[in-house]
Amino acid sequence: MASTQLLLLACLCLSASHAFTCRRFQSKSEVLVTVQDRWFTQRLDHFNGADTRVWEQRYYMNDSFSHSEGPVFLMIGGEGSANPGWMTQGTWITYAEKMGALCLLLEHRFYGKSHPTKDMCVENLRYLSSQQALADLAHFQTVMTEKLGLGNRKWIVFGGSYPGCLAAWYRIKYPHLAYAAIASSAPIHAVLNFSEYLDVVQASLSRNQSNCPGKIKIAFDTMLELLDYKENYLKISKDFYLCEVLVIRSKMDMAFLLDTIAEYIMDVVQYNNDNREFEVSLVLGVTWFNIKYIGGQ
Ligand SMILES: *[C@@H]1O[C@H](CO)[C@@H](O)[C@H](O)[C@H]1NC(C)=O
Ligand SMILES: *[C@@H]1O[C@H](CO)[C@@H](O)[C@H](O)[C@H]1NC(C)=O
Ligand SMILES: *[C@@H]1O[C@H](CO)[C@@H](O)[C@H](O)[C@H]1NC(C)=O
């Protein structure tokens, strides 16, 4: 694999975490399957024995291919609402069919319908961490093993992007629980100000003679000039269909605006032909929210 592709893979989640990817195409083979919400009683704080509070965590199950000798596949949720599409499609399902696997997907705490606390005030966000998420998975696995009689089966965890990191960390932290981990596009080495991401975007857009990066640079330079004068904000707001007239109070506001616009260009590179059309087609009947914020929120 070319190094640029590797780099791009490594970047997937960094962009996906705040990507507004609005893809409206439909899958060629549109299959709408109703996947049942299931609930698991989970501990709020795995690291404080005195805290006995619990909450209901959502999970999905597909046992159609499950064979008593086969493995258990555990897909790790994260970065967004659990997508029911994954319970009937995706490469792991083809593996499950071949290997007789039981497929489970555990939604990440604080996403989708998995609400550990009544709100997301700062005080409650202390319970949103990868450490707690890993412990959620371990507790889930332990209880489900008992409940479904899965003691003799090998558990293999799957994850992409941030959940890919969780998959790798889960295997390291609980080697007695996870037989193997598939850590897909897992950016386990965090990098501050990761501008190399845009180098990959630029290289991709430079592949023929149309000088696309040059044109994008002109567009952004023009944009920056316009942003120098508040009189232009109304026009900018109209041109970009902003919900309200633009107000820039800080450098962060400016960065957010520019990043949001740049995302569209980044996403063209990152998500073209990424073989996940089914994610969109399957959620069409479920929630519109997932379509607008696919891959993250
Ligand atoms: C499991 O996935 C297969 C393949 O998409 C599908 O045919 C089947 O209905 C699913 N089973 C359940 C219980 O969701
Ligand atoms: C981020 O990295 C780029 C490229 O190395 C550099 O030009 C820019 O000043 C850096 N920004 C910050 C905030 O460090
Ligand atoms: C650039 O490449 C794309 C994809 O191969 C092609 O569709 C497009 O027409 C090319 N543009 C120019 C100006 O050559």
Side-chain angles (χ1 to χ4, degrees), residues 51-62:
D51 189 338
T52 56
R53 285 176 293 172
V54 292
W55 55 285
E56 295 300 304
Q57 186 166 20
R58 179 165 63 167
Y59 72 98
Y60 296 136
M61 180 161 83
N62 184 339

Side-chain angles (χ1 to χ4, degrees), residues 23 266-275:
R23 297 184 299 167
M266 284 142 61
D267 289 351
V268 163
V269 173
Q270 181 169 330
Y271 293 109
N272 253 341
N273 294 321
D274 72 353
N275 199 24

